[in-house]
């Protein structure tokens, strides 16, 4: 990761349409591809991007799913083929970003758009089906390179090739890998729960701590 205020590039902006996985009837928005030119970003994410299962995806606290180039490089090596932007269903790919080193509350600012990190991406059966490996979800969780969700603090136009600056969160540190690997109420003591509730954590994850 670069230091506060230093700019990096948006490698790709991705969106997709609702499609069915092989052998499935329910549709998913996981099939995304890089687009040319600017897109509009609002509080719900990239305009015209498909989000099908809103119980677990989308909404203001998980409006944008981001992968860093470090994450995609890791998975290219791990899976043995070049991972193209959008393969995991991500909306953005950011140069030189490693999701394993990020924390809830970190921010990324482009010329018009301001994003705030809210949670890790949790693997599901849809992701396993996308990869074609029913056992992929636990492998994804254990690897600790999941990408991250963001809320949109300021909407506007966004495009690949644009500079985007990083600003680390100054409050309680809740690392993305912690959410992925041990973020279950029975694994956290009351002190940890209270500390993590002080962060701008996504509402679905806050509910887990408050249960």
């Amino acid at each position: 990761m670069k230091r506060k205020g230093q700019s990096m590039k948006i490698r790709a902006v991705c969106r997709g349409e609702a499609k069915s996985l092989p052998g499935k009837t329910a549709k998913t928005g996981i099939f995304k591809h890089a687009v040319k030119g600017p897109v509009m970003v609002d509080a719900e994410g990239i305009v015209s991007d498909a989000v099908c299962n809103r119980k677990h995806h989308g909404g203001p606290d998980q409006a944008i799913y981001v992968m860093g180039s470090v994450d995609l490089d890791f998975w290219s090596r791990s899976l043995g083929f070049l991972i193209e932007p959008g393969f995991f269903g991500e909306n953005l790919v950011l140069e030189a970003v490693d999701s394993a080193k990020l924390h809830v509350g970190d921010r990324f600012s482009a010329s018009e758009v301001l994003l705030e990190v809210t949670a890790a991406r949790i693997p599901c059966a849809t992701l396993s089906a996308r990869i074609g490996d029913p056992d992929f979800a636990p492998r994804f969780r254990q690897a600790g390179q999941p990408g991250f969700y963001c809320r949109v603090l300021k909407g506007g136009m966004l495009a690949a090739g644009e500079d985007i600056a990083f600003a680390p969160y100054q409050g309680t540190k809740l690392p993305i890998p912690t959410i992925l690997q041990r973020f279950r109420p029975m694994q956290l003591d009351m002190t940890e729960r209270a500390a993590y509730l002080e962060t701008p954590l996504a509402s679905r994850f806050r509910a887990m701590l408050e249960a």
Side-chain angles (χ1 to χ4, degrees), residues 3 8 17 22 28 40 69 90 92 94 96-98 102 107-108 110 116 120 129 137 142 145 148 163 165 173 178 209:
R3 294 182 179 179
M8 56 203 78
E17 300 176 353
T28 173
M40 174 59 74
S69 64
E90 69 272 17
L92 299 180
L94 303 183
V97 169
D98 179 352
L102 292 178
R107 293 183 176 185
F108 293 91
E116 182 176 64
Q142 187 61 37
Q145 302 284 161
F148 52 97
D163 288 339
K173 297 298 185 182
T178 295
L209 297 181

Side-chain angles (χ1 to χ4, degrees), residues 28-114:
T28 173
I30 199 171
F31 295 100
K32 302 195 190 302
H33 59 275
V35 298
K36 295 181 179 179
V39 300
M40 174 59 74
V41 176
D42 63 18
E44 293 290 330
I46 293 178
V47 174
S48 298
D49 180 49
V51 179
C52 297
N53 183 355
R54 291 189 174 272
K55 180 180 179 180
H56 300 292
H57 304 287
D61 283 355
Q62 296 177 201
I64 300 285
Y65 174 39
V66 187
M67 292 288 274
S69 64
V70 175
D71 302 315
L72 293 190
D73 289 345
F74 169 85
W75 285 112
S76 291
R77 294 191 301 271
S78 181
L79 294 175
F81 59 87
L82 180 64
I83 302 296
E84 297 291 345
F87 181 80
F88 289 108
E90 69 272 17
N91 300 113
L92 299 180
V93 179
L94 303 183
E95 290 286 356
V97 169
D98 179 352
S99 65
K101 296 181 180 179
L102 292 178
H103 303 82
V104 170
D106 289 345
R107 293 183 176 185
F108 293 91
S109 56
S111 60
E112 295 186 15
V113 175
L114 176 60

Side-chain angles (χ1 to χ4, degrees), residues 127-195:
L127 179 61
S128 294
R130 171 73 171 101
I131 303 299
D133 178 0
D135 297 321
F136 184 71
R139 178 179 174 185
F140 186 88
R141 182 187 292 271
Q142 187 61 37
Q145 302 284 161
F148 52 97
Y149 285 114
C150 291
R151 65 171 57 92
V152 179
L153 297 180
K154 180 182 176 185
M157 303 302 292
L158 198 64
E162 187 175 346
D163 288 339
I164 191 164
F166 172 72
Y169 183 58
Q170 298 303 307
T172 298
K173 297 298 185 182
L174 173 49
I176 290 299
T178 295
I179 300 175
L180 193 74
Q181 295 168 356
R182 61 181 297 267
F183 201 72
R184 300 171 181 82
M186 69 286 294
Q187 294 181 337
L188 299 172
D189 61 34
M190 295 303 295
T191 300
E192 288 175 307
R193 288 198 203 188

